[in-house]
Amino acid sequence: MTNETIQTIRSRRSCRAYKPEQITNEELEAVLGAGTYAASAMGKQSAKIVVVQDAAAREKLSRMNAAIMGKDCDPMYGAPTILVVLADANAKCAVQDGSLVMGNLMLAAASLGLGSCWINRAKEEFESEEGKALLKKWGIEGEWIGVGHCILGYPAGDPQPAAPRKSDYILKV
């Protein structure tokens, strides 16, 4: 059995090469809306999404992220939009709530023909003094955990096919 949602789930792939043009506001709002409808523990909606499209801010996030890896590269793959997903550090299921938001963002992007990829190291970024200063600059008060970066844009190439599913992935007991 399959339907459009299941087909989107099966066909979504991480995109690591983007065209330089920015996504439309309509596409952005559709993706963000899907993120806000992610399940959350007790309906608390502990996550927050920060939209970063300014070139200087994107470069700063990329530089911070690369420094954590100890590399000189662009871990954001030149994506024109970075959605930073944060979760309230005082929420019992903060990381789980933020992870569900990330999943919704990536699936919504795929359903619109956009490329996306989860970029790690947001936790380390926003634990740093530079990261805390960014949150303050963005008007975000309190204690927040960086869950991930959802990079978005138009894919510069075709996605790779899915790897075969592992035979022991599902256990029925």
Side-chain angles (χ1 to χ4, degrees):
M1 173 184 284
T2 189
N3 63 30
E4 191 174 340
T5 301
I6 291 171
Q7 188 54 39
T8 298
I9 292 168
R10 288 181 175 174
S11 64
R12 193 210 77 78
R13 296 289 163 267
S14 293
C15 179
R16 293 180 178 86
Y18 295 88
K19 294 179 181 177
E21 58 265 15
Q22 190 55 264
I23 63 174
T24 68
N25 285 334
E26 183 179 41
E27 290 165 329
L28 176 62
E29 292 304 320
V31 171
L32 292 171
T36 68
Y37 276 91
S40 64
M42 303 298 292
K44 298 284 185 182
Q45 301 176 41
S46 70
K48 185 179 293 292
I49 306 167
V50 180
V51 179
V52 181
Q53 293 183 312
D54 172 73
R58 289 190 338 259
E59 286 177 30
K60 182 174 190 138
L61 286 173
S62 183
R63 181 189 48 74
M64 290 170 64
N65 199 286
I68 292 164
M69 288 192 297
K71 295 184 177 182
D72 183 19
C73 64
D74 176 12
M76 305 300 175
Y77 301 102
T81 297
I82 302 171
L83 304 179
V84 179
V85 176
L86 306 166
D88 183 342
N90 297 307
K92 289 185 179 183
C93 297
V95 172
Q96 294 88 337
D97 289 352
S99 296
L100 288 165
V101 169
M102 288 288 294
N104 273 24
L105 294 171
M106 292 185 297
L107 288 172
S111 77
L112 299 172
L114 299 174
S116 70
C117 188
W118 182 323
I119 305 299
N120 287 307
R121 295 167 297 281
K123 179 180 184 294
E124 296 86 348
E125 280 177 34
F126 293 101
E127 286 175 342
S128 73
E129 290 308 313
E130 189 174 16
K132 289 176 184 176
L134 259 182
L135 294 178
K136 187 174 182 176
K137 178 181 176 181
W138 294 338
I140 300 172
E141 304 286 332
E143 296 177 48
W144 294 88
I145 299 168
V147 175
H149 308 81
C150 178
I151 58 174
L152 295 175
Y154 300 117
D158 293 329
Q160 296 296 315
R165 301 295 95 177
K166 295 179 180 179
S167 62
D168 64 347
Y169 198 85
I170 299 171
L171 302 174
K172 294 182 181 179
V173 295

